[in-house]
Amino acid sequence: MLALRSGLGRALAARARAPQVFSSFATGPRQNDGTFYEFRTYYLKPSKMKEFLENIKKNIHLRIAHSELIGYWSVETGDIMNKVFHIWKYDNFAHRTAVRKALAEDKEWQEQFLIPNLSLIDSQENEITYLVPWCKIENPPKEGVYELATFQMKPGGPALWGDAFKRAVHTHVHRGYTKLVGVFHTEYGALNRVHVLWWHESGDSRAAGRHLSHEDPRVVAAVRESVNYLESQKNVLLIPTSFSPLK
């Protein structure tokens, strides 16, 4: 019994001397408000792309009367063809719920916008994303093309890979190789996924900037650090529609 008490006393003393580590439910820095962005992707029937875009252009005012459209693009290359991608902004989840309810009761939207387009769509996807705390949406200086780069990071959240990823993005921007529009972290969808939306004057200017960045030791060093936390990545070239707020 004395030996047991002595051993227990030593264990408790060692625990008291050890540094105390306190964990948080947060996995990294967070936004100060509830604003989020819904990414919607529609896969269209191959012969219906033109008809779909014409219908949307004619009736998009019925949809943006309910919530803010950030941008609307067609996918040019890098992924499945006959695909459109759009981003919608909401103040919070209650706002989105109210919008969905209002749309369900909007007969004009259903008859002119929704029903005519449903038969043109093969499938749909959506993600709920937040802007990362160190970024806000920036408007490009003029019309151009967009690149959506998607990074699947290792599990652990921004607490694990956030700082390294931020340095990699900022190094590209500060060196002037590209124009950043926004960085989004997925909340609903594939977790630990980050989308970076870039603007380029043209596809050729994007290629030129990329070649230069590959020869810049500061960019190379920042990228080498961030890839330690990377599982996969892909990108697509996006062409803004005529009715897209982001051109």
Side-chain angles (χ1 to χ4, degrees), residues 37 39 87 129-131 137 182-186 193-195 197:
Y37 300 83
F39 284 20
I87 302 176
T129 71
Y130 288 105
L131 275 174
I137 292 181
V183 181
F184 305 84
H185 180 209
T186 299
R193 176 177 289 179
V194 184
H195 300 283
L197 186 61

Side-chain angles (χ1 to χ4, degrees), residues 3 16 57 82 94 101 110 116 120-121 145 174 183 199 201 207 239:
K57 180 180 179 180
N82 301 297
K101 181 180 179 181
Q110 291 185 40
L120 311 180
I121 301 173
V145 299
H174 294 160
V183 181
W199 174 89
E201 187 172 349
I239 306 299

Side-chain angles (χ1 to χ4, degrees), residues 162-180:
D163 288 343
F165 193 89
K166 177 181 178 180
R167 283 190 288 272
V169 169
H170 280 177
T171 303
H172 280 83
V173 174
H174 294 160
R175 299 294 295 160
Y177 297 124
T178 186
K179 170 72 175 176
L180 179 65

Side-chain angles (χ1 to χ4, degrees), residues 5-237:
R5 288 179 178 175
S6 177
L8 180 58
R10 287 194 297 269
L12 291 174
R15 181 177 177 182
R17 291 193 300 268
Q20 299 298 299
V21 178
F22 298 94
S23 63
S24 168
F25 288 112
T27 56
R30 291 171 292 180
Q31 286 191 170
N32 293 323
D33 60 47
T35 301
F36 65 82
Y37 300 83
E38 181 176 5
F39 284 20
R40 297 184 71 90
T41 303
Y42 295 168
Y43 300 85
L44 306 174
K45 298 181 185 300
S47 62
K48 300 299 184 179
M49 182 78 166
K50 182 178 179 181
E51 181 181 351
F52 177 85
L53 289 176
E54 288 176 349
N55 287 350
I56 297 296
K57 180 180 179 180
K58 183 169 64 175
N59 295 299
I60 191 65
H61 65 282
L62 299 174
R63 178 60 185 83
I64 60 177
H66 292 277
S67 61
E68 182 180 353
L69 174 64
I70 299 299
Y72 209 113
W73 300 266
S74 61
V75 174
E76 178 68 12
T77 187
D79 202 350
I80 297 171
M81 300 179 69
N82 301 297
K83 179 168 134 179
V84 295
F85 169 71
H86 34 123
I87 302 176
W88 298 87
K89 180 181 178 181
Y90 295 97
D91 297 336
N92 48 45
F93 285 97
H95 178 211
R96 183 182 184 275
T97 298
V99 168
R100 303 307 297 176
K101 181 180 179 181
L103 287 170
E105 297 172 352
D106 187 334
K107 299 301 182 183
E108 187 178 15
W109 174 78
Q110 291 185 40
E111 293 172 1
Q112 297 183 31
F113 187 98
L114 179 63
I115 295 173
N117 290 322
L118 283 178
S119 62
L120 311 180
I121 301 173
D122 268 340
S123 62
Q124 301 169 299
E125 292 179 358
N126 78 331
E127 290 180 293
I128 299 299
T129 71
Y130 288 105
L131 275 174
V132 297
W134 43 269
C135 175
K136 62 180 181 179
I137 292 181
E138 299 285 353
N139 289 318
K142 58 182 178 179
E143 293 187 16
V145 299
Y146 292 75
E147 177 185 1
L148 182 68
T150 300
F151 302 86
Q152 188 62 49
M153 310 302 290
K154 291 182 178 179
L160 176 66
W161 41 258
D163 288 343
F165 193 89
K166 177 181 178 180
R167 283 190 288 272
V169 169
H170 280 177
T171 303
H172 280 83
V173 174
H174 294 160
R175 299 294 295 160
Y177 297 124
T178 186
K179 170 72 175 176
L180 179 65
V181 178
V183 181
F184 305 84
H185 180 209
T186 299
E187 179 74 9
Y188 285 95
L191 299 180
N192 298 291
R193 176 177 289 179
V194 184
H195 300 283
V196 182
L197 186 61
W198 303 102
W199 174 89
H200 306 281
E201 187 172 349
S202 67
D204 288 327
S205 68
R206 184 259 178 196
R210 186 168 176 81
H211 290 319
L212 289 173
S213 70
H214 285 175
E215 299 173 354
D216 188 325
R218 281 166 284 196
V219 173
V220 172
V223 170
R224 282 179 176 171
E225 179 188 12
S226 66
V227 297
N228 290 323
Y229 308 102
L230 181 66
E231 289 194 339
S232 65
Q233 66 186 91
K234 69 174 184 178
N235 67 342
V236 293
L237 184 66

